[in-house]
Amino acid sequence: MAEKYYFSIPDTEVPRIVIIGGGFAGLKMARSLRSAPYQVVLIDKNNYHQFQPLFYQVAMSGLEPSSIVFPLRKAFQKQKQFYFRNAEVIKIDSGLNEVQTDRGWLAYDYLIIAIGADTNFFGNQMIADHALPMKSVSEALYLRNKILEDLESALNIRDYEERQSWIDIVIVGGGPTGVEVAGALAEMRKYILPKDYKELNPKEIDIHLIEAGPSLLAGMSELSGQKAEEFLLDMGVLVKKNTQVTSYDGKTVTMKDGSVIQSRKLIWAAGVSGNKISGLPADVIVRGNRIKVDTFCKVEGSDNIYAIGDIASMVSEAYPNAHPQVAQVALQQGQLLAKNLIRKSNGQTEKPFKYVDKGSMATIGKNKAVADLPFMKLNGFFAWLIWLAVHLLSLIGVKNKLLVFLNWIINYLTYDPSLRLIIRPRVPKKV
Ligand SMILES: Cc1cc2nc3c(=O)[nH]c(=O)nc-3n(C[C@H](O)[C@H](O)[C@H](O)COP(=O)(O)OP(=O)(O)OC[C@H]3O[C@@H](n4cnc5c(N)ncnc54)[C@H](O)[C@@H]3O)c2cc1C
């Protein structure tokens, strides 16, 4: 048997907390353990934190990718007793208290699983093979390239029907991501295409938003769903509700009722499923591939393994279907678990998790957003201003905040960002 290769991280007198995932939950937790009596090791398969709520603006050429990601090492430059490892965790060995990664093994005293979720294609392999997901900054960049490349191709196609399939876009899923993408595409069609692609007729570009349920923004209030739909219809988006997409082969989108749309782009924003990690007992993996935890975020049946954020499923009276998979839950769980482990080290009692819902929002376009706040529901300009402020303040890093703010001002004033670049990664020839 091959010898186990261990990470070279010094042993210390204090217990070691290993956090898998530097997303909203893992990053918050690691930062909240600053000066705690623990050694903290953060492992992530990427060497950066991603701000997922603004992926769609990267895909729509509105923001640079570097302004919504943040290097994880930089985030912890000043934190003592902290180590980062860029590796993918493959397996947990709970008997030995060790994790296996693609770069070696590591022992833990406490293990925190904060691996988030990935796109859910609901087992439809054909859709998975051809649709465009948006669950990472690289997928958002790929989508940006694809939109721009297809417009370039369309310019040289004389046949009307054939050209349509290159310029029409289908978005599946009427949640916040689908609604935001549809709105941003409609604005791109109105303000950018007439300047950049004068030979194309913007009126010929169809943007379809397809939702399986009876309303848009199902997780928000009825009023917000209706308002979002009104905004989108007003912007010329073709909204189809109660419609299920059953297959897509890269050219033809087929619906359950037999209707079809010809499009070379199907953006899939119809749901997420927890990322997989092996080694946990099968009975703790529940609906949506989430990990069953108690009110202290502890994985059922374990003493020292916890799960937080999108991957965790904590069922309570208030949340019988577990918490929504949103940033606030991840942040609050990350913070509470850090505080609880500090309490534990001081011999104090740990506190159960209680989610403080600060509301939800979605933006449809300039001056158009909907917001369900704890004290009121807003739509239009004021909701949009709140959306801008909340997203700006939530970004990691002062430089990122400034860059995004500057970009937004320029985009608002000129309606003409200059990021419509087709940048294809190129693998160098072997020497
Ligand atoms: C397009 C989009 C828009 C969204 N918009 C909003 C919004 O407007 N408001 C809102 O509240 N929420 C929004 N969300 C949801 C929000 O982003 C998530 O709820 C949040 O990111 C969950 O945080 P997390 O820490 O659980 O997981 P993530 O933030 O997904 O972090 C998981 C981390 O784990 C790492 N990882 C995964 N597997 C492994 C492994 N095996 N080994 C090592 N590392 C691993 C990943 O690289 C990643 O860094 C949006 C999500 C998407 C995709």
Side-chain angles (χ1 to χ4, degrees), residues 21 23-25 44-46 52-53 87 89 114-116 135 309-310 325-327:
F24 283 100
D44 200 298
K45 59 184 177 182
N46 297 310
Q52 301 182 17
V89 176
I115 55 177
K135 202 66 185 79
D310 279 5
Q325 286 162 296
V326 293

Side-chain angles (χ1 to χ4, degrees), residues 31 54 63 66-70 388-408:
R31 284 183 146 189
L54 292 180
L63 286 176
S66 59
S67 58
I68 62 151
V69 297
F70 196 82
L388 290 181
V390 167
H391 284 75
L392 201 61
L393 293 174
S394 312
L395 275 164
I396 310 281
V398 179
K399 202 177 94 199
N400 282 2
K401 287 185 174 75
L402 285 173
L403 277 174
V404 169
F405 185 56
L406 203 69
N407 259 299
W408 282 351

